[in-house]
Every structure is written in structure tokens, then in C-alpha cells.
Amino acid sequence: MCRSCHLPIKDVADNQRLVRQSSKVRTVRRWLWTRLVGAAFYVGAVAWCALKMPASLTFVVPGAVIGGFLHIVKGRPWLGLLAFLIVVAVVPMLFWPSMLTGSLGRLTDW
């Protein structure tokens, strides 16, 4: 008998087996859901940018590859999203000085 609940140990063991099986199913579902949502997100981001802002594909495609690898293959969704955002949002900022130089050069030509 289980002293804390006064159940036969056989009933306690049977209950543990059921809990273990259902947790395995939840783990597989979560694993599959994480991968499917990640694939849909990165494919959708690239498709949307291809339709609306084709010039941004220079940064979006590498960001989607890196983020997708981390999200789908490694199973790190937040790290994949962070890497995607860094490549898509922060890396283009590195090129702002060169864009400003070109704009200033055109202004001085007037």
C-alpha cells in the first residue's frame, strides 16, 4: 500500500505508466508542432518579402536559413527567431553609413 494515499501499489504503478505514455505523446506533438510552425514561419517570411519587398531578400533569405536551421533542426525556436531578427534588422543597419554617403554625394552634386 502507498502510505500517503492508501492505494495498492499496483494501482499507483498502473497510473504512472499511463502518465508516462501520455507525456511521450505530448513530447512528440510539441516536437512536431515546433518544427511545423518554424517551417511555416520562415517560408512565409521569405514568400511575403519576395512578393512585397524583393530587394530585402538579400537579408531575409540568409536570416531564414539561419533561423530555420536553429528553429527546425536544432529545436531552438527563440534562438532561431533572435538570429532571424538580427540578420534581417541589425545587419542592414551596418550599411546605413554607405547609403548616407551616396545621398550626401548626390546632394553636393546639385
Side-chain angles (χ1 to χ4, degrees), residues 20-89:
R20 244 183 276 128
Q21 288 173 351
S22 66
S23 70
K24 287 179 186 176
V25 170
R26 274 184 274 153
T27 302
V28 170
R29 281 185 191 161
R30 185 181 313 136
W31 184 89
L32 188 60
W33 179 252
T34 300
R35 271 53 178 195
L36 290 175
V37 168
F41 173 75
Y42 294 110
V43 168
V46 170
W48 184 82
C49 287
L51 291 174
K52 300 293 183 182
M53 301 178 294
S56 69
L57 289 176
T58 305
F59 297 103
V60 173
V61 171
V65 169
I66 293 168
F69 176 77
L70 291 171
H71 191 135
I72 298 166
V73 176
K74 294 292 188 177
R76 302 293 222 180
W78 293 111
L79 186 61
L81 182 62
L82 180 66
F84 177 76
L85 291 175
I86 287 173
V87 171
V88 171

